[in-house]
Amino acid sequence: VNAEVTVSSAATSLILSASPASSGSATSSASSPVTQISDGQIQSPAYSTPSPNGTLSATPGVVPSNATTTVDAAAASISPNGGILSIAPNSTTPDVSKLATQNECKALIDYQLPSKNSIPSNFNFSGNVRTYYVAAEEVAWDYAPSGWDNWLGVPVQNSPHAIAAGYLNITGSLGTSNWGLGGWQKAVYKGYTDDSFTTQSEQPATNGINGPILRGEVGDMIQIMFVNNLKDHYSSMHSMGLYYGKQYEGSLYPNTTSGETPKVQEQDAVPPGGCAVYKWLISDSQAPAPGQSSRLWSYHSFVNMPADTSAGLSGPIIVYNSGEMNSTMSAHREFVVTTNTHYEARSFMAGENAKNAGVDTSTMRATNQLVRPFIGNESFWVPQLANFPAIQLSDAQGPNFYTMNGYVFGNGAPYEMCRDDPVIWYVMAFGGASHVFHLHGNNFQYNDIWQASQSINAGEMFTFNMNAQLPGVWQLLCHVSSHNLFGMQQNYVVHGTEVDGQTCPLPPLTAKLAGSP
Ligand SMILES: [Cu+2]
């Protein structure tokens, strides 16, 4: 089975032309602002004055904990450390009765452009709206599912590298799969084919822990129905690179304009069981580099970014020049490589993993939000301080896994190609380290310059072009020596062809889009 064939046609089938009413220029088609989701997140505060150092003098709230109202900003006081309105704590329980229902979210998938204040001036609408259905889900993840360090050729529990990395924290157990307990509890994005969320969209085997690959062309709008199926944690979808209005930022912080009522939208922190719709635009500012046909952007959850991305919530976006998606996909092998430090002690799933592993959880909080009182600035938006680990694990208990697409020690599916295939590597980094992407056997081009290696920092996204000229099973690695020690390595395979007296077993590139227009 060649997953690329399926995913290619699936991506094509997602194209839906906008209705005549919304075709044409962005300006003329933006007349129907998307209905705001009722946020229901703001609760009645009791006011108090912050101390000069920003520490709140807390007065217990006197209103019912489930009361929902707006806040008179003028009555609130301004904190001295940044203008955030500070209010005494009340309750951390959001009013779940106001959650947007999935039917409400389905209705917001309306193929209409967002309101004018969400449309940049260099967005020239193509008329194409690409729709994706994405859910945040909990999975049990094994960083080394083969049980082997595939570079040293030994079982993981015997690997000097795994031992040095601190991945084996209980003698004789398999730390990469959470101390032999069947996997680390992680949160990941899964793509679905429609709003019933029953059939997962197919992704390349090499995609690993990445969320589904989202694709679009310059001039397109991407609309996403997102469902948070995490049991106890918030999540969101925040785009790195595509354009969005404030409504679709998907990032939790008190980002109100001064003087307005502070407000956290449900899209910024979707509660367990909730949903949201995001509309992201691909303007000229997202275009591939001159001479290139595609480039990488990304998305991730931004309720509490360090905890969310350590939990596993990130994914790729590939943008093509207008009209060049199919031709580019059918003429190249495209591969996503995400380098990420999955720091399990910082993941918001740390509490779940601690419980599973029998760690002393007597100090663990009952909820994923911090218990009060605590020292620090507070405002009155809810949820505040969400997605923090419920327990502080040591590094031995919650190791920092140095991964490529969620795997260590060459445990991901190898990237496969035929000799002389044009290849596009989409390489990005999350987490807390700087990496050096390096290939053995073949060089790649970045900014029209041939490279053997390229540094990449957390949050950066690169697009490299390569011609697979030399056959063999080759190394693909982070060249930072400690990261290599910690297993940040993968393999890619260049199959020989007639030149080598062999037949490449992969379907030819020209067949990649068979069945699509
Ligand atoms: Cu590295």
Side-chain angles (χ1 to χ4, degrees):
V1 175
N2 186 320
E4 288 181 7
V5 173
T6 311
V7 74
S8 299
S9 55
T12 305
S13 69
L14 285 166
I15 301 173
L16 286 170
S17 293
S19 65
S22 64
S23 63
S25 75
T27 305
S28 65
S29 56
S31 56
S32 302
V34 173
T35 306
Q36 292 273 351
I37 295 176
S38 172
D39 59 90
Q41 301 282 9
I42 297 173
Q43 300 193 333
S44 297
Y47 303 127
S48 69
T49 304
S51 67
N53 66 357
T55 302
L56 191 69
S57 171
T59 304
V62 294
V63 295
S65 63
N66 63 349
T68 301
T69 183
T70 54
V71 171
D72 179 1
S77 54
I78 305 298
S79 82
N81 62 346
I84 296 171
L85 289 161
S86 294
I87 302 295
N90 181 18
S91 166
T92 59
T93 306
D95 182 357
V96 292
S97 66
K98 287 292 193 66
L99 295 188
T101 66
Q102 290 207 14
N103 278 338
E104 287 172 326
C105 286
K106 289 175 186 175
L108 290 172
I109 296 290
D110 57 8
Y111 302 90
Q112 301 298 306
L113 292 177
S115 54
K116 286 180 182 177
N117 64 3
S118 294
I119 300 177
S121 57
N122 65 347
F123 174 70
N124 299 297
F125 188 36
S126 64
N128 287 332
V129 176
R130 297 175 195 271
T131 307
Y132 289 94
Y133 301 92
V134 180
E137 300 180 2
E138 295 177 16
V139 297
W141 188 258
D142 190 336
Y143 290 100
S146 73
W148 284 70
D149 178 334
N150 288 320
W151 271 29
L152 295 183
V154 295
V156 170
Q157 58 264 48
N158 302 126
S159 164
H161 286 178
I163 294 167
Y167 295 163
L168 308 177
N169 44 61
I170 294 178
T171 304
S173 70
L174 192 61
T176 51
S177 59
N178 193 12
W179 313 317
L181 294 169
W184 288 91
Q185 296 300 305
K186 300 193 72 70
V188 299
Y189 293 116
K190 294 288 187 186
Y192 286 85
T193 57
D194 57 41
D195 65 10
S196 68
F197 285 85
T198 52
T199 305
Q200 286 189 9
S201 59
E202 291 202 44
Q203 303 296 324
T206 53
N207 205 41
I209 202 168
N210 286 301
I213 301 173
L214 309 185
R215 289 179 157 98
E217 295 178 349
V218 173
D220 294 352
M221 179 175 81
I222 289 180
Q223 61 179 359
I224 301 165
M225 178 174 167
F226 172 65
V227 174
N228 178 16
N229 283 330
L230 305 181
K231 288 196 286 285
D232 297 313
H233 298 91
Y234 295 82
S235 59
S236 71
M237 289 182 72
H238 166 74
S239 168
M240 288 189 73
L242 301 199
Y243 274 165
Y244 43 78
K246 292 298 293 183
Q247 186 181 359
Y248 305 116
E249 186 178 6
S251 183
L252 179 62
Y253 62 108
N255 52 0
T256 186
T257 304
S258 178
E260 292 179 353
T261 299
K263 178 179 174 181
V264 172
Q265 310 172 106
E266 193 168 314
Q267 302 95 296
D268 293 333
V270 181
C275 64
V277 167
Y278 301 99
K279 293 186 175 184
W280 298 338
L281 302 177
I282 307 176
S283 77
D284 294 347
S285 302
Q286 283 74 40
Q292 304 292 306
S293 54
S294 64
R295 69 150 297 167
L296 179 67
W297 302 99
S298 67
Y299 61 94
H300 62 87
S301 178
F302 209 144
V303 178
N304 179 7
M305 193 262 280
D308 296 4
T309 57
S310 272
L313 289 169
S314 61
I317 303 172
I318 302 175
V319 164
Y320 303 82
N321 288 325
S322 178
E324 295 185 7
M325 180 191 292
N326 284 358
S327 59
T328 303
M329 291 177 69
S330 62
H332 298 80
R333 308 281 177 194
E334 296 182 292
F335 300 118
V336 172
V337 181
T338 300
T339 58
N340 192 355
T341 50
H342 287 260
Y343 198 171
E344 291 296 347
R346 264 183 211 157
S347 163
F348 63 66
M349 300 296 284
E352 282 76 0
N353 284 309
K355 276 185 276 188
N356 287 349
V359 170
D360 178 6
T361 55
S362 58
T363 61
M364 192 163 84
R365 294 188 307 278
T367 76
N368 60 70
Q369 288 178 274
L370 295 183
V371 291
R372 298 163 191 273
F374 65 96
I375 302 301
N377 184 32
E378 281 194 77
S379 58
F380 53 78
W381 41 283
V382 175
Q384 186 187 19
L385 300 172
N387 281 15
F388 281 81
I391 189 171
Q392 183 59 59
L393 296 178
S394 68
D395 283 358
Q397 293 169 319
N400 193 0
F401 289 98
Y402 284 71
T403 67
M404 285 182 163
N405 291 355
Y407 295 109
V408 294
F409 304 124
N411 269 263
Y415 303 94
E416 292 187 81
M417 59 206 78
C418 307
R419 178 202 260 264
D420 294 326
D421 278 350
V423 174
I424 306 176
W425 295 101
Y426 300 105
V427 184
M428 59 181 172
F430 287 100
S434 299
H435 308 287
V436 177
F437 178 82
H438 173 55
L439 296 175
H440 283 199
N442 291 274
N443 283 352
F444 56 89
Q445 275 194 314
Y446 175 56
N447 284 346
D448 293 330
I449 297 172
W450 287 102
Q451 304 277 13
S453 59
Q454 173 63 46
S455 61
I456 177 168
N457 287 296
E460 288 189 315
M461 298 151 283
F462 288 97
T463 303
F464 304 134
N465 288 80
M466 182 181 94
N467 286 322
Q469 294 175 295
L470 291 173
V473 177
W474 298 109
Q475 296 185 336
L476 180 162
L477 63 146
C478 172
H479 213 279
V480 176
S481 60
S482 60
H483 300 183
N484 189 243
L485 181 72
F486 298 161
M488 199 167 236
Q489 52 212 212
Q490 196 43 268
N491 290 111
Y492 77 98
V493 181
V494 181
H495 293 285
T497 62
E498 290 70 20
V499 180
D500 312 291
Q502 299 170 4
T503 301
C504 182
L506 304 179
L509 280 170
T510 50
K512 278 186 71 184
L513 287 178
S516 61

